[in-house]
Amino acid sequence: MSNNRNQDVAVVGSPSTNTELTLDLLQEASEERLVGALTAFEAVQDGRPIISVGQIVGIELKNRWHEDSVFRNLVKRTGEIPPITNRQDTRIADLVVGATFKEVDGAYEPEVLGMVPATGTRVARIDQSLLNRLLRVYESEIFYLGQAYANEILYPMWFKHFGSSDQGAGGAGEAYHIGVFGKTGSGKSGLAKMMLCAYARHPTLGILVIDPQGEFTLELSGTRVGRQGLQLDQVMRQQGRAINIYRIADIQLDDWTTFEEMLVSLGFCEELTITHRNNAERAAEVIRNSLERARQNGRKQFPLSKLGTKDALQAALNAVLNDQSIQYIFPSREPRIRLQNRVQDILSNRLDEVFNDKWAPICNLFASGPNRRKLYGIVSDLMGTVSTGQPRPVVVIDLSARGNQGRFWTEELERRLLSKLLNVLIAQSTSSLSTQQSANVLVLLDEAHRHAPSGRLDQDSEAERLRLFLRRAVRETRKYGLGWFFISQTLGGLDSEILQQLRILAFGFGLAMGTEFDRLRDFVGGDKRSLELYQSFRDPQSFPSRHLQEFPFMAVGPVSPLAFSGKPIFFNMFTDMDRFLAENGLNSPKKEID
């Protein structure tokens, strides 16, 4: 470490522990911005020199004379007491130790700080050259999202793929789940895009983006959203990745069970005045069996991919009118009469209307076409290219109303398609275990609180089934090499069982009130100083001009080689995208981890 005493900002004081040190600030550092600064100190442990790096999370000023009631009365009258005011001030800082390194043959290896340095041990601001020297062994894995909260040092991070070493260097050997949270305007979407760039460096990691709002679809199509300016599509292609974007019209569903479910969830049975779910499910079963079993000249009369005809609709309605079927749907006489009258009215007077409004939109989900893909094919593209040695694609599923304008779209359809897609993904990920190969897929779900909200949902609703599915997925898929990346504006609005499974979390501005702050406290283990530092974050939208804007984040989990202690880390996200690309070597084609 440098011997330049001008870098020294404090000495170790008392009381201190091996994870959190009390620092006595030096006089010359009393006017510096130190809260959030990266600092380091040298010590000797087990006969070897070590260097520990940590972040200052709080500073407290004390002047015991000013705390005396007599002197306070004097200060009240004069404003100061010359021999005491200022000169007797002491400033005490809290330093959270993040990582320790031992020197071995001129190089540095990770170590655990198992002792407490002596009082008077000098603590200095860390500089970039020292940090680079300490982390040289991780050089190929380091990625930068921004700078340390209170100085110009680039904060080193790493984003590992989920496979083992045979799937490329930089693998974690297991999947983990990620969350990025913050109010609108906090920079959470921008941070998530930068993190996607980090994961894109691993060619064997498949990336699936579930986009219910359309922002990632636009970005990966070359249309910039907001003012960040990151050329996300170009970065992905420079890493050798294809970008496959699918909207609802590009997806072909392909099983009769799903067709049966869609008749209920998308309102066809309701059109027949069958409103109770149990009755609707019986009616859908009748229609499905009738169409699936129909034969003409020894062939299937109504293949699933060609149901969008009036003949198929008439056959479905006539199947409902069958005496045996209608008694199965409604055991009671009165609702049977109501159903008969409604179906006969449709057949006689409203066939075109019901076909255009209800039947055709549902059947089109199953229709074949030259540009349509089945879900198994989409997922196979995502997972099946590892043997070729080519980077896996980035697959984007645009479920947004904006991206599907002019098409049949409902929230129920969005949830149903998402459930089907994730079912296929998990099924194929599970089968990869038989080959002893990790699925190695990252699934990003934007606006996650829409699909896995906290609180009560109607029992047996599609929303409740999707939430239960996501709960089970985050609990069980880690062993398959399937990691989940949730983006949400709120902690309190996302299901608590999912939150508990997240291992890496980044918190932007706006979570410092009410139940949001209570949950935040749980994630940092009640660390008072870290919470106070988080509360000091300025709203990025409050800066007078764009070039002065800062986007601060607090991160928890194994996201950095300086976070071995498990304590929160603090950084400001890059606002200059040219610098972001340059620092990470992303402005040249395909920088892979060696």
Coordinates of all heavy atoms in Angstrom, one line a residue, residues 10-14 16 21-24 41-44 113 115-123:
A10 N -7.5 8.1 8.6 CA -7.9 7.8 10.0 C -7.0 6.8 10.5 O -6.1 6.2 9.8 CB -9.3 7.2 9.9
V11 N -7.1 6.5 11.8 CA -6.5 5.4 12.5 C -7.5 4.5 13.2 O -8.6 5.0 13.5 CB -5.4 5.9 13.5 CG1 -4.3 6.6 12.8 CG2 -6.1 6.7 14.6
V12 N -7.2 3.3 13.4 CA -8.1 2.3 14.1 C -8.2 2.8 15.5 O -7.2 3.1 16.2 CB -7.6 0.9 14.0 CG1 -8.4 0.0 14.8 CG2 -7.5 0.4 12.5
G13 N -9.5 2.8 16.0 CA -9.8 3.2 17.3 C -10.4 2.1 18.1 O -10.4 0.9 17.7
S14 N -11.1 2.5 19.2 CA -11.8 1.5 20.0 C -13.2 2.0 20.3 O -13.5 3.2 20.4 CB -11.0 1.4 21.3 OG -11.6 0.5 22.2
S16 N -13.4 -2.0 18.5 CA -13.4 -2.5 17.1 C -13.6 -4.0 17.2 O -13.2 -4.6 18.2 CB -12.2 -2.1 16.4 OG -12.1 -0.7 16.2
L21 N -14.9 -1.8 12.3 CA -13.8 -1.1 13.0 C -14.3 0.3 13.3 O -15.0 1.0 12.5 CB -12.5 -1.0 12.2 CG -11.9 -2.3 11.7 CD1 -10.6 -2.0 11.0 CD2 -11.6 -3.2 12.9
T22 N -13.9 0.8 14.5 CA -14.1 2.2 14.8 C -12.9 3.0 14.4 O -11.8 2.6 14.7 CB -14.4 2.4 16.3 OG1 -15.5 1.7 16.7 CG2 -14.5 3.8 16.7
L23 N -13.1 4.0 13.7 CA -11.9 4.8 13.2 C -11.9 6.2 13.8 O -13.0 6.8 13.9 CB -12.0 5.0 11.6 CG -12.0 3.7 10.8 CD1 -12.0 4.1 9.3 CD2 -10.9 2.8 11.1
D24 N -10.8 6.7 14.2 CA -10.6 8.1 14.6 C -10.1 8.9 13.4 O -8.9 8.6 12.9 CB -9.6 8.2 15.8 CG -10.2 7.5 17.0 OD1 -11.4 7.6 17.3 OD2 -9.4 6.8 17.7
F41 N -6.3 -0.9 5.1 CA -5.3 -0.9 6.1 C -4.5 -2.2 6.0 O -4.9 -3.2 5.6 CB -5.9 -0.7 7.6 CG -6.8 -1.9 8.0 CD1 -6.2 -3.0 8.6 CD2 -8.1 -1.8 7.8 CE1 -7.1 -4.1 9.0 CE2 -9.0 -2.8 8.2 CZ -8.4 -4.0 8.8
E42 N -3.2 -2.1 6.5 CA -2.3 -3.2 6.5 C -2.2 -3.7 7.9 O -2.3 -3.0 8.9 CB -0.9 -2.8 6.0 CG -0.9 -2.3 4.5 CD 0.5 -1.9 4.1 OE1 1.2 -1.4 5.0 OE2 0.8 -2.0 3.0
A43 N -2.0 -5.0 8.0 CA -1.7 -5.7 9.3 C -0.9 -7.0 9.1 O -0.6 -7.3 7.9 CB -3.1 -6.0 10.0
V44 N -0.7 -7.7 10.1 CA 0.0 -9.0 10.0 C -0.9 -10.0 10.7 O -1.3 -9.8 11.8 CB 1.4 -8.9 10.7 CG1 2.0 -10.3 10.7 CG2 2.3 -7.9 10.0
L113 N -10.3 -12.1 7.7 CA -9.7 -11.3 8.8 C -10.2 -12.0 10.2 O -11.3 -11.9 10.6 CB -10.2 -9.9 8.8 CG -9.6 -8.9 9.8 CD1 -8.1 -8.8 9.6 CD2 -10.3 -7.5 9.7
M115 N -8.5 -11.4 13.1 CA -7.9 -10.7 14.3 C -8.4 -9.2 14.2 O -9.1 -8.9 13.2 CB -6.4 -10.8 14.2 CG -5.7 -10.5 12.9 SD -5.7 -8.8 12.3 CE -4.3 -8.2 13.4
V116 N -8.0 -8.4 15.1 CA -8.4 -7.0 15.1 C -7.1 -6.2 15.1 O -6.2 -6.4 16.0 CB -9.2 -6.6 16.4 CG1 -9.6 -5.2 16.3 CG2 -10.5 -7.5 16.4
P117 N -6.9 -5.3 14.1 CA -5.7 -4.5 14.1 C -5.6 -3.6 15.3 O -6.6 -3.2 15.9 CB -5.8 -3.7 12.8 CG -7.3 -3.7 12.6 CD -7.8 -5.0 13.1
A118 N -4.3 -3.3 15.7 CA -4.1 -2.5 16.8 C -4.6 -1.1 16.7 O -4.7 -0.6 15.5 CB -2.6 -2.5 17.1
T119 N -4.9 -0.5 17.8 CA -5.3 1.0 17.7 C -4.1 1.7 17.1 O -2.9 1.4 17.4 CB -5.6 1.5 19.1 OG1 -4.6 1.3 20.0 CG2 -6.9 0.9 19.6
G120 N -4.4 2.7 16.4 CA -3.3 3.5 15.7 C -2.9 3.0 14.4 O -2.2 3.7 13.7
T121 N -3.5 1.8 13.9 CA -3.2 1.4 12.6 C -3.7 2.3 11.6 O -4.9 2.8 11.6 CB -3.8 0.0 12.4 OG1 -3.3 -1.0 13.3 CG2 -3.6 -0.5 11.0
R122 N -2.9 2.7 10.6 CA -3.2 3.7 9.7 C -4.2 3.2 8.7 O -4.1 2.1 8.1 CB -2.0 4.3 8.9 CG -0.9 4.7 9.8 CD -1.1 6.0 10.6 NE -1.1 7.2 9.7 CZ -1.0 8.4 10.2 NH1 -0.9 8.6 11.5 NH2 -1.1 9.4 9.4
V123 N -5.2 4.0 8.4 CA -6.3 3.6 7.4 C -6.2 4.7 6.3 O -6.3 5.9 6.6 CB -7.7 3.6 8.0 CG1 -8.7 3.2 7.0 CG2 -7.7 2.5 9.1

